[in-house]
Amino acid sequence: MTVRVRFAPSPTGSLHLGNALTAVANRSFADGRGGAAMLRIDDTDPTRTLEGGEEAILADLAWLGVSFDEGPMRQSERGALYAEAAATAVGSGGAERDVDGSVRLARDGTTLLRADGSATYQLASVADDLELGITHVIRGSDHRPNLELQQRIARAIGGELPEVLHHGLVLGPDGKKLSKRHGHSSIAELREEGFPARAVRAYLDELDLPEHDVHLDLARLRRLAIDAIAEMSDDDLAAAAEAPAEAVPVLRGARSLVEARGYARMVLEPEPVQLPTDARPTLLRFVELRALGPDRLSSDDSRAILRELKAVGGDLRSLRLALTGASTGPELSAVLSVLDRDDALARARRAIG
Ligand code: GLU
């Protein structure tokens, strides 16, 4: 038996972290067994279909590096299959057709087909899983309550539901349902917060297929972000920070890509600052030392200048402010190596007026 799984999001916009876990879990399950994974967009419910929602999901999946062997297929384009399934269920006595044309499961009354002929999620999902030859349904445990009903629908339309594996949900750090209020709840939010794609993917890979609900471990996610940035090539890091390759030394210590972009701005277009007169001695000494150096300093040269300044009791915080416009930021020696001589001198002189 060849394993066939599906990831079946509703097009409600950027993937919730728990849904992203489902996507990764399906992909890994198929990969581990030489199987295939398909992408199905569950868009039978117009109230859960957001304009641009499918595009947002496709962008999230691409960003996470999750690809599919088939799809995206859309339930909204498969109405004929569902009508046929409903007719089969009526024919077998497993379902009944109402006077208004809607079809309900016999005995419990669950709607399969609405009066307008459109299928409900319950029918569409089961009919698709059977028709697509899905061998394993892997989804969040919030769908556990659907299991028994879907097994009955499968039998009514003449099949058996695939094996179903429910994984634990990703909850907020406080153990409550992860929501926008927590931040970091969707892939779009994590991307905007500057988490590299590889860090988010690594976090989801680590969670694997949790049996029980898990609390989002932000400390772990942040650690993985630091690791992912350390592993990025210079070109990738520069591109992610929207900075030229020469700025990379200042970007290296950033803990997120948002921080890296902030560091890039500090060297590329700092806020101009005016420093009080007590900063003068340090900055004048810096100007003297820097004027003697080459156009670009090696990191050893940069560290030597900082050592020299410290030895005479120099005020390195003022130097940082003068060069970057900020009181905290990247390692100062990296700033010195990235700024060319003219730039460094101009900034120091401007800060003391
Ligand atoms: N469209 C459902 C969801 O987004 C998928 C349910 C399932 O996997 O069966 O939760």
Side-chain angles (χ1 to χ4, degrees):
M1 174 185 77
T2 310
V3 162
R4 284 170 66 81
V5 296
R6 83 322 189 253
F7 174 53
S10 301
T12 51
S14 180
L15 291 174
H16 184 276
L17 194 56
N19 275 129
L21 173 68
T22 307
V24 169
N26 273 283
R27 181 70 264 173
S28 304
F29 188 89
D31 287 346
R33 292 160 184 79
M38 50 222 70
L39 176 60
R40 185 181 85 202
I41 305 294
D42 281 3
D43 56 355
T44 50
D45 180 354
T47 64
R48 299 197 67 205
T49 298
L50 188 87
E51 174 82 31
E54 181 183 326
E55 289 72 18
I57 290 170
L58 297 181
D60 288 346
L61 292 169
W63 188 76
L64 286 169
V66 179
S67 60
F68 290 88
D69 308 294
E70 295 170 35
M73 59 198 82
R74 293 174 201 89
Q75 290 193 323
S76 57
E77 293 164 4
R78 296 166 63 82
L81 172 73
Y82 312 141
E84 200 182 307
T88 304
V90 172
S92 72
E96 288 151 3
R97 198 177 295 275
D98 258 7
V99 283
D100 66 0
S102 63
V103 174
R104 291 169 208 284
L105 200 60
R107 287 184 296 282
D108 82 350
T110 301
T111 303
L112 304 182
L113 217 55
R114 300 183 189 98
D116 65 5
S118 66
T120 60
Y121 154 71
Q122 302 290 5
L123 173 64
S125 182
V126 174
D128 276 336
D129 288 341
L130 298 188
E131 201 270 337
L132 298 170
I134 299 301
T135 60
H136 298 79
V137 169
I138 300 165
R139 62 187 180 189
S141 60
D142 49 338
H143 285 289
R144 209 188 292 276
N146 290 328
L147 181 60
E148 220 208 86
L149 170 64
Q150 291 180 346
Q151 282 166 337
R152 274 184 281 133
I153 295 174
R155 283 180 206 127
I157 65 178
E160 271 302 325
L161 205 64
E163 192 175 324
V164 182
L165 300 168
H166 289 115
H167 63 74
L169 305 179
V170 183
L171 304 175
D174 57 2
K176 302 216 171 87
K177 196 171 178 314
L178 186 60
S179 72
K180 267 223 138 72
R181 176 178 53 82
H182 291 99
H184 0 276
S185 70
S186 70
I187 296 301
E189 279 177 290
L190 290 165
R191 187 166 46 221
E192 279 156 30
E193 288 167 31
F195 287 97
R198 277 188 62 166
V200 178
R201 176 66 193 262
Y203 182 68
L204 295 173
D205 283 336
E206 281 184 6
L207 287 180
D208 195 21
L209 208 58
E211 200 182 323
H212 302 290
D213 293 352
V214 290
H215 293 195
L216 174 59
D217 184 350
L218 268 177
R220 180 66 191 147
L221 194 52
R222 293 201 171 108
R223 179 70 241 169
L224 289 167
I226 290 169
D227 293 348
I229 289 175
E231 284 161 18
M232 280 172 126
S233 70
D234 285 1
D235 285 345
D236 287 349
L237 179 54
E242 295 152 20
E246 304 83 71
V248 165
V250 299
L251 309 179
R252 278 289 162 203
R255 289 159 297 183
S256 77
L257 296 175
V258 167
E259 193 164 64
R261 270 171 233 137
Y263 286 2
R265 266 194 310 279
M266 289 176 196
V267 291
L268 299 172
E269 42 191 43
E271 296 289 328
V273 286
Q274 274 292 312
L275 295 180
T277 49
D278 52 3
R280 266 183 96 83
T282 300
L283 294 179
L284 288 175
R285 181 68 184 133
F286 171 73
V287 166
E288 265 170 38
L289 292 168
R290 185 63 189 92
L292 296 171
D295 186 41
R296 297 242 170 220
L297 297 174
S298 69
S299 48
D300 281 349
D301 293 339
S302 301
R303 278 194 282 268
I305 290 185
L306 293 176
R307 259 200 312 277
E308 185 89 24
L309 285 172
K310 256 198 259 175
V312 297
D315 165 14
L316 297 186
R317 189 173 164 273
S318 291
L319 178 62
R320 172 185 288 286
L321 273 166
L323 298 182
T324 67
S327 56
T328 59
E331 223 187 300
L332 199 49
S333 67
V335 174
L336 290 194
S337 300
V338 164
L339 294 180
D340 68 20
R341 185 177 51 217
D342 290 350
D343 238 352
L345 293 176
R347 290 182 192 191
R349 289 187 178 123
R350 186 181 56 200
I352 49 180

